[in-house]
Amino acid sequence: MKNFMLIIELGGPCMYPIIALSIVGLAVVIERLWFYKKSWVNPGPLERKLGELLYKGDAEGASRLVRERETSLHRLFRAAVDHWQAPPDALKMLLEQEVRHEIYRWEKGLMLLSAVARVEPLLGLLGTVLGIVEVFRAVAAAAEGSANMAMLASGIWEALLTTVAGLVVAIPAVLCYTWFSSKIEAAEEALCRGSDFILREKILRG
């Protein structure tokens, strides 16, 4: 802990926003992981079970099935089952609205994570530039430019700490953002597939 505080002190004032944004980014990652785990379900088995119940005309069983969990696909199917008597066109509009709503839930927070990934390297670079400016200001003030090279190297090393810190936060943030984006694409595909499944069942079963 003491070494960590020393690194922050050596890195200068830019280290504080870097740390603050890293905490924000970590919070977004943890929250998104929890949401994705809770909201994802394999669409195949759920579609088969619901299709069987709709084929049998078991409205009560279908209603129980779509209320078993709080995944995005369960919520989509729940809206469909609750409005099963609506005309196909009205049901299609309802499903499109539900898909958009669920995708919004999946995308929530990702813009903030993207901003953290973009800003962190810039903050690190800013800290390094400010540090190097301070080093050369001190060099210019010392012995009319006859500077101690050890002092110069030490100052530049300390200035580079912010660049390292910014990249240490930004690289995992970019990787997490890319992985989350792929999960959103998979969720959108599953929801669109589920919507098509419901409309097909509606046309076939009435």
Side-chain angles (χ1 to χ4, degrees), residues 19-58:
I19 292 172
L21 285 177
S22 70
I23 294 171
V24 171
L26 180 61
V28 171
V29 168
I30 293 173
E31 189 275 334
R32 289 291 85 191
L33 286 173
W34 176 80
F35 173 83
Y36 290 2
K37 180 177 175 60
K38 182 185 73 168
S39 298
W40 173 256
V41 66
N42 187 352
L46 181 59
E47 288 177 4
R48 285 193 295 272
K49 290 180 183 177
L50 183 58
E52 291 171 1
L53 293 170
L54 293 175
Y55 177 76
K56 296 175 183 177
D58 187 355

Side-chain angles (χ1 to χ4, degrees), residues 116-198:
V116 169
R118 291 195 304 267
V119 170
E120 286 284 10
L122 298 178
L123 282 173
L125 180 60
L126 175 62
T128 295
V129 170
L130 291 176
I132 291 176
V133 168
E134 180 62 24
V135 167
F136 281 103
R137 186 197 64 79
V139 167
E144 296 181 353
S146 177
N148 186 325
M149 291 304 296
M151 182 190 76
L152 180 60
S154 174
I156 294 176
W157 174 82
E158 293 173 7
L160 288 172
L161 283 174
T162 54
T163 295
V164 173
L167 292 175
V168 164
V169 176
I171 292 171
V174 169
L175 293 175
C176 288
Y177 178 83
T178 303
W179 185 79
F180 288 150
S181 297
S182 70
K183 297 295 289 183
I184 291 171
E185 290 178 3
E188 185 173 9
E189 173 63 25
L191 288 167
C192 291
R193 167 181 161 174
S195 179
D196 292 341
F197 160 77
I198 287 293

Side-chain angles (χ1 to χ4, degrees), residues 76-91:
L76 178 71
F77 288 162
R78 186 185 310 160
V81 169
D82 290 347
H83 298 85
W84 190 250
Q85 300 305 319
D89 289 344
L91 187 61

Side-chain angles (χ1 to χ4, degrees), residues 3 27-28 67 72 77 102 106 108 114 124 130 147 150 166 181 183:
N3 289 338
V28 171
R67 284 171 169 78
S72 292
F77 288 162
E102 289 300 326
W106 279 75
K108 184 179 178 182
S114 176
L130 291 176
S181 297
K183 297 295 289 183

